[in-house]
């Protein structure tokens, strides 16, 4: 047997014959449905899979996708981006963050703009890369601007754990970690909500377990299928959702059983619990304040908390998005990118006006990249 290659982990899950097979299965089952089903894929990763592989075009007309608020860059409000910008502009600070965050515009500009104005802003693929930056720049304060849902939170906790154990004095944290279920509940509380079922992000459940979605089938009567991100994963998950509707069931099911169980990663959860606690609220871009949806450092770690140490510089008043940008409605599943008047014209990846166009997981970026606009 040869050495295992990365492609071996996904090749079979992109098999055209398997995808077509699921398309035929869904088409036959969907004939039994009395009404259209709106399925929200919560995570932007699913949105990109759907767009990249043309999955919507393979489905019957009574199966429709709604795009959700599960992109950590897309939901970051302008005032939090302004925090990053202000911190980056301090003379003795190196600001470190993940990927696309550097391009999202706040009211003062993006982190990319801050860098053009002389700020030392760096992006890393792993939070632990911050350690090397701090050790090489001991005369600077290195602030890690932490973002992401349940998936990335343990990596930030692991970084803080190493910082404490190694006695590193020049790394601080600005925490912007948020959680998925509270955002889903907010969407369902809207009287205009048309969501019938959810595809749950599998990478979130690798950490938190499938258990975090159990209230949705039981309390809200909305089926949830925890889905992987390959096209076969998504198609199988759609088939599972349709089967539930045909059989008049509302249940929590896991399609991505190769990595997700009910309890999740208990070691990662314990690390999160050690360093973080629920914040009273977190403001999602376009969705507003969502109670208990954010995390913050526990008070005993305030010496590492940039929000506490730079409190006088950082404002929390909401900052409105551009009047023409409808990212908020897109994140709520109420609109699609082509319905935005500036999509693909004034707002493009090279000149983004909204966060959904900036992020590699954003719905607007997916439609622009795979919607024949390039």
């Amino acid at each position: 047997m040869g050495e295992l290659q990365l492609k071996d982990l996904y090749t079979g899950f992109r098999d055209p014959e398997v995808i077509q097979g699921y398309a035929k299965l869904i088409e036959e089952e969907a004939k039994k449905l009395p009404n259209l089903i709106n399925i929200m894929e919560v995570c932007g990763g699913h949105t990109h899979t759907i767009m990249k592989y043309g999955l919507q075009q393979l489905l019957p007309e009574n199966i429709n996708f709604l795009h959700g608020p599960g992109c950590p860059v897309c939901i970051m409000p302008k005032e939090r981006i302004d925090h990053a910008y202000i911190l980056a502009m301090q003379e003795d600070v190196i600001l470190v963050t993940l990927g696309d965050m550097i391009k999202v515009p706040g009211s003062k500009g993006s982190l990319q703009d801050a860098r053009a104005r002389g700020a030392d802003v760096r992006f890393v693929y792993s939070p632990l890369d911050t350690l090397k930056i701090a050790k090489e720049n001991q005369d600077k304060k290195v602030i890690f601007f932490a973002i992401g849902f349940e998936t990335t939170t343990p990596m930030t906790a692991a970084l803080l754990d190493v910082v404490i154990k190694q006695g590193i004095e020049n790394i601080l944290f600005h925490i912007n970690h948020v959680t998925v279920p509270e955002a889903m509940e907010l969407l369902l509380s809207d009287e205009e909500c048309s969501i019938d079922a959810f595809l749950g992000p599998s990478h979130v459940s690798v950490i938190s377990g499938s258990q975090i979605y159990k209230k949705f089938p039981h309390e809200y009567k909305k089926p949830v299928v925890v889905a992987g991100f390959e096209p076969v994963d998504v198609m199988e998950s759609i088939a599972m959702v349709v089967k539930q509707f045909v059989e008049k069931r509302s249940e929590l099911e896991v399609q991505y059983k190769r990595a997700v169980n009910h309890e999740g990663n208990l070691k990662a959860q314990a690390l999160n619990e050690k360093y973080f606690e629920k914040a009273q609220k977190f403001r999602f871009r376009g969705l507003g304040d969502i109670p208990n949806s954010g995390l913050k450092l526990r008070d005993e770690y305030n010496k590492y908390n940039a929000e506490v140490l730079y409190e006088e510089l950082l404002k929390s008043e909401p900052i409105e998005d551009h009047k023409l940008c409808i990212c908020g409605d897109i994140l709520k599943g109420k609109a699609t990118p082509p319905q935005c008047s500036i999509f693909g014209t004034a707002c493009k990846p090279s000149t983004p006006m909204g966060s959904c166009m900036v992020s590699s997981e954003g719905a607007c970026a997916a439609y622009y990249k795979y919607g024949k606009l390039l």
Side-chain angles (χ1 to χ4, degrees):
M1 181 180 292
E3 183 179 352
L4 183 66
Q5 302 291 317
L6 180 60
K7 63 182 179 62
D8 296 332
L9 300 177
Y10 59 74
T11 299
F13 299 99
R14 299 179 185 181
D15 188 322
E17 290 188 11
V18 179
I19 295 171
Q20 290 289 351
Y22 273 115
K24 290 179 181 177
L25 174 64
I26 294 168
E27 184 177 7
E28 287 303 313
E29 287 294 300
K31 290 176 182 176
K32 305 172 187 175
L33 298 172
N35 303 307
L36 178 145
I37 298 178
N38 287 314
I39 303 172
M40 171 170 277
E41 82 279 6
V42 178
C43 180
H46 282 142
T47 308
H48 276 252
T49 298
I50 291 163
M51 292 300 297
K52 181 177 181 179
Y53 295 98
L55 301 187
Q56 178 73 74
Q57 290 87 332
L58 295 175
L59 298 175
E61 291 184 354
N62 59 345
I63 305 296
N64 184 49
F65 288 115
L66 302 177
H67 313 308
C71 163
V73 172
C74 298
I75 59 91
M76 197 62 63
K78 280 189 172 180
E79 56 270 22
R80 304 293 289 185
I81 297 166
D82 281 0
H83 284 196
Y85 183 98
I86 291 166
L87 292 171
M89 293 302 290
Q90 303 307 303
E91 285 188 3
D92 61 343
V93 163
I94 299 174
L95 191 115
V96 177
T97 190
L98 299 174
D100 294 333
M101 200 66 235
I102 202 167
K103 296 183 290 186
V104 184
S107 70
K108 300 176 184 299
S110 66
L111 288 173
Q112 196 165 251
D113 295 328
R115 187 154 65 179
R117 292 166 188 149
D120 192 344
V121 178
R122 308 183 191 188
F123 73 88
V124 292
Y125 292 105
S126 166
L128 292 175
D129 293 340
T130 307
L131 293 168
K132 184 172 185 291
I133 296 171
K135 290 176 180 176
E136 292 176 347
N137 297 274
Q138 297 192 25
D139 59 330
K140 300 277 189 178
K141 294 185 179 68
V142 179
I143 300 178
F144 180 63
F145 190 77
I147 65 167
F149 287 88
E150 289 89 339
T151 317
T152 56
T153 305
M155 293 189 286
T156 303
L159 173 60
L160 178 54
D161 196 57
V162 174
V163 165
I164 293 172
K165 288 177 178 175
Q166 295 187 3
I168 298 171
E169 298 290 341
N170 64 329
I171 294 183
L172 303 175
F173 294 80
H174 189 291
I175 301 300
N176 301 275
H177 286 303
V178 289
T179 49
V180 168
E182 290 78 9
M184 292 168 61
E185 283 196 271
L186 180 93
L187 298 180
L188 293 177
S189 70
D190 190 329
E191 292 182 353
E192 298 177 3
C193 173
S194 60
I195 301 167
D196 298 308
F198 290 99
L199 295 188
S202 56
H203 52 5
V204 164
S205 285
V206 168
I207 302 299
S208 299
S210 60
Q211 60 180 329
I212 62 171
Y213 303 117
K214 62 184 179 184
K215 68 170 60 173
F216 297 100
H218 299 137
E219 295 180 21
Y220 296 94
K221 305 304 178 189
K222 306 293 183 184
V224 177
V225 174
V226 180
F229 288 93
E230 293 298 333
V232 170
D233 291 324
V234 174
M235 292 298 282
E236 183 180 11
S237 300
I238 298 300
M240 293 167 71
V241 170
V242 172
K243 186 174 175 61
Q244 286 201 38
F245 276 90
V246 169
E247 297 177 354
K248 299 183 180 354
R249 293 184 288 117
S250 178
E251 297 177 4
L252 168 60
E253 296 182 316
V254 178
Q255 178 275 332
Y256 197 70
K257 291 181 178 176
R258 56 192 188 272
V260 170
N261 59 32
H262 185 70
E263 292 80 16
N265 186 326
L266 299 180
K267 186 175 181 180
Q269 291 172 29
L271 198 61
N272 289 346
E273 181 68 20
K274 181 178 180 180
Y275 293 115
F276 300 119
E277 61 183 346
K278 281 283 189 180
Q280 191 173 21
K281 62 185 179 183
F282 190 92
R283 188 172 302 129
F284 279 51
R285 181 182 286 232
L287 277 68
D289 292 340
I290 303 181
N292 301 313
S293 64
L295 300 177
K296 65 175 185 176
L297 285 175
R298 292 186 178 278
D299 289 346
E300 54 262 48
Y301 304 109
N302 274 348
K303 64 178 288 190
Y304 302 100
N305 192 336
E307 278 196 84
V308 172
L309 299 176
Y310 289 92
E311 184 178 6
E312 292 185 1
L313 296 176
L314 307 178
K315 308 300 182 186
S316 61
E317 288 78 13
I319 301 173
E320 296 297 322
D321 284 327
H322 192 285
K323 290 180 180 178
L324 296 177
C325 176
I326 64 167
C327 277
D329 285 342
I330 293 171
L331 294 170
K332 294 173 185 172
K334 293 183 174 180
T336 59
Q339 292 175 286
C340 179
S341 63
I342 55 175
F343 171 74
T345 54
C347 185
K348 298 185 287 188
S350 57
T351 55
M353 297 177 70
S355 57
C356 296
M357 184 63 86
V358 174
S359 172
S360 59
E361 290 188 9
C364 294
Y367 274 73
Y368 192 92
K369 187 173 183 179
Y370 302 116
K372 298 181 179 179
L373 286 175
L374 285 177

